[in-house]
Amino acid sequence: MRCSHCGAMIPDDQMVCPRCGTEVQIVPDYNPLDDVLAREVKGSVEGATRQIQTDDIRRYRRDDRTKNVNSTRVLSREEMDRIRDQRRRSGSRKTSGNVGRGTDELQRKQQGTGELRGQKRNTGAMRTQRQDTAELRRLRQQKRLEAAKRKRRKLLITLFILLALIIAGVYLVYVNSYTSMVNKGYQAIQSGDYDAAENYFNRAISKDRSRPDAYTGYAEIYVDQDDYESAEDVFLSAIETQPTNVEIYRAAIEFYMETEQPAKVSALLEDCEDQNVLSAVSSYLSSAPVFTPEEGTYNEVQQIMITSETGGDIYYTTDGTDPTVETGTKYEEPVLIQTEGKVEIRAIAVNANGIPSTVASATYTIEFPIVNAPAVTPSTGQYTEPTQITITVPEGYTAYYTMDGSTPDPESSSTEKYTGPVDMPENTQTIFNAILVNDQNGKATEMTTRNYITTD
């Protein structure tokens, strides 16, 4: 195909002239030569052919408009032969000049018809070329679509492979992860395979020693076998190496609560020196009781007060045993110590969460003072006049005496309780012995002896 602008050849697969850049114009399926042929035939055989009225042409074109609005009616061979016969029959009536002119017109018509047929062939070739170009475009479009489909298919396969690799990687990471080891450990406990469970929990601890789950699972191995001491050692060993790990402390406290050993919670926290840990588990703190006055030796009756910094109820004993909520006496008023000797008070405080504190104890010794032997008047001697014997009795004591030389004993019938001055016997010798007995502890002082002789 040649360019209509510069005449250069345009390849079939291009729509722009490679030389001048003119865009190829695609015309509809319309052949202008049909109209040229119609005009030639009409002019040449105007007098010899059947006249086609204007109305007939319009009607024909209306009927054929759906097929080709620009087409022109072409006479068939039979019509051409009939026209020629009519022309020959009418030729004798016309002059030779007219015959010559008609012959020339017929020749021109035949020549035009040949040219028209050549142009039709060229038009058909152009139409075929356009069809080939459209088919080529369709094939190329189809190839591009197929290439795009193949590309999408490859992309989907690649994405699927990547997704499978990611899933496989995630699975491999999980099966060897801390969580997976802990879960497998618990599964082993449920199946009774304690050796496998221990192995899984140890592997989990080696991956992350700061998390409490593996320690809890490890302790569960011993709890399942009723070995609470070994289970406790799991947590104590972990805390020993990680004294600031709040989560391990929480796990240990939970272990004590679940195994009904709340008293050990306070013992655990009592040894903790990290304030962050103590603050985090403050609800479990229960301070040991404090005694007022402090333990020691006293020479008089004492009232002992017991308090706790964290509050709660206080229970105590005075027989040397550790108190509990069930066995102790609930503290409601100061404890009175009024007997001489040693008394040990033990107490616990139970906070609002039911956590008992560690046991606090204090020992008190009461030793009442012993006064000297009682003062007795008059002194030993000989008396000729009636005289009264008096004993000085200090507060808190009671005096006892005998006049037959025996040792005073409050339980003996020969012993008299001193209530006031005693008359000295007349004309006789009297051995007067006296003691003082402490009213609180019953202890007696040393004995005072007087020897009286009376005469007239």
Side-chain angles (χ1 to χ4, degrees), residues 36-310:
V36 175
L37 178 60
R39 286 194 300 271
E40 289 294 333
V41 171
K42 181 178 180 182
S44 300
V45 296
E46 184 177 11
T49 62
R50 177 177 57 85
Q51 184 176 3
I52 301 175
Q53 298 299 326
T54 302
D55 293 337
D56 294 336
I57 294 174
R58 290 176 179 173
R59 184 172 58 256
Y60 177 80
R61 288 183 174 176
R62 282 196 303 269
D63 295 338
D64 196 52
R65 186 170 297 163
T66 57
K67 298 180 180 179
N68 191 342
V69 296
N70 296 313
S71 62
T72 302
R73 181 174 180 275
V74 180
L75 298 178
S76 66
R77 183 176 295 275
E78 290 78 6
E79 290 177 325
M80 291 295 295
D81 292 339
R82 188 168 57 253
I83 291 172
R84 290 191 185 100
D85 291 339
Q86 290 177 355
R87 187 171 184 179
R88 281 195 299 270
R89 286 194 298 269
S90 62
S92 58
R93 295 192 297 272
K94 294 184 178 180
T95 62
S96 58
N98 290 337
V99 173
R101 186 174 62 251
T103 301
D104 292 339
E105 290 180 356
L106 182 60
Q107 289 177 351
R108 286 196 301 272
K109 183 265 299 180
Q110 290 175 349
Q111 183 178 1
T113 302
E115 292 177 355
L116 182 59
R117 289 175 180 172
Q119 291 178 359
K120 282 186 175 182
R121 285 194 296 270
N122 292 336
T123 301
M126 292 177 63
R127 183 180 302 158
T128 302
Q129 186 178 8
R130 287 195 298 272
Q131 292 175 351
D132 292 341
T133 302
E135 180 66 17
L136 180 61
R137 291 177 181 173
R138 187 185 66 79
L139 292 175
R140 288 180 177 176
Q141 181 67 18
Q142 184 177 359
K143 288 182 179 180
R144 285 196 294 270
L145 292 175
E146 292 177 353
K149 289 181 179 179
R150 289 194 296 271
K151 185 175 180 181
R152 285 196 299 270
R153 190 180 301 111
K154 290 181 180 179
L155 179 60
L156 290 175
I157 292 174
T158 302
L159 291 175
F160 177 78
I161 293 174
L162 289 176
L163 181 61
L165 291 175
I166 292 173
I167 293 175
V170 171
Y171 175 76
L172 290 176
V173 170
Y174 171 76
V175 297
N176 292 287
S177 66
Y178 178 93
T179 302
S180 177
M181 293 296 104
V182 172
N183 291 337
K184 290 179 180 178
Y186 277 108
Q187 292 173 2
I189 291 176
Q190 292 177 357
S191 62
D193 191 351
Y194 298 120
D195 292 335
E198 182 177 355
N199 179 53
Y200 283 128
F201 289 126
N202 279 327
R203 289 174 62 184
I205 292 172
S206 66
K207 291 179 178 295
D208 190 346
R209 58 192 295 267
S210 65
R211 297 174 64 178
D213 308 83
Y215 298 107
T216 301
Y218 204 152
E220 187 67 24
I221 295 175
Y222 298 109
V223 172
D224 204 49
Q225 303 175 76
D226 296 328
D227 186 357
Y228 295 102
E229 184 175 352
S230 297
E232 181 183 16
D233 289 340
V234 171
F235 294 106
L236 296 181
S237 298
I239 289 174
E240 184 177 358
T241 58
Q242 303 178 70
T244 61
N245 191 317
V246 174
E247 296 305 319
I248 295 181
Y249 270 97
R250 291 185 187 276
I253 292 172
E254 186 176 351
F255 160 74
Y256 285 132
M257 298 301 290
E258 289 180 352
T259 56
E260 298 180 355
Q261 303 180 81
K264 291 188 175 182
V265 174
S266 295
L268 176 70
L269 298 180
E270 188 177 39
D271 296 332
C272 178
E273 298 179 353
D274 188 88
Q275 292 301 319
N276 290 332
V277 172
L278 295 176
S279 177
V281 296
S282 59
S283 61
Y284 293 98
L285 290 175
S286 183
S287 299
V290 177
F291 301 94
T292 304
E294 297 181 354
E295 65 178 4
T297 301
Y298 296 88
N299 58 8
E300 58 183 354
V301 172
Q302 295 295 313
Q303 287 186 329
I304 311 301
M305 292 185 295
I306 309 174
T307 58
S308 174
E309 182 178 349
T310 54

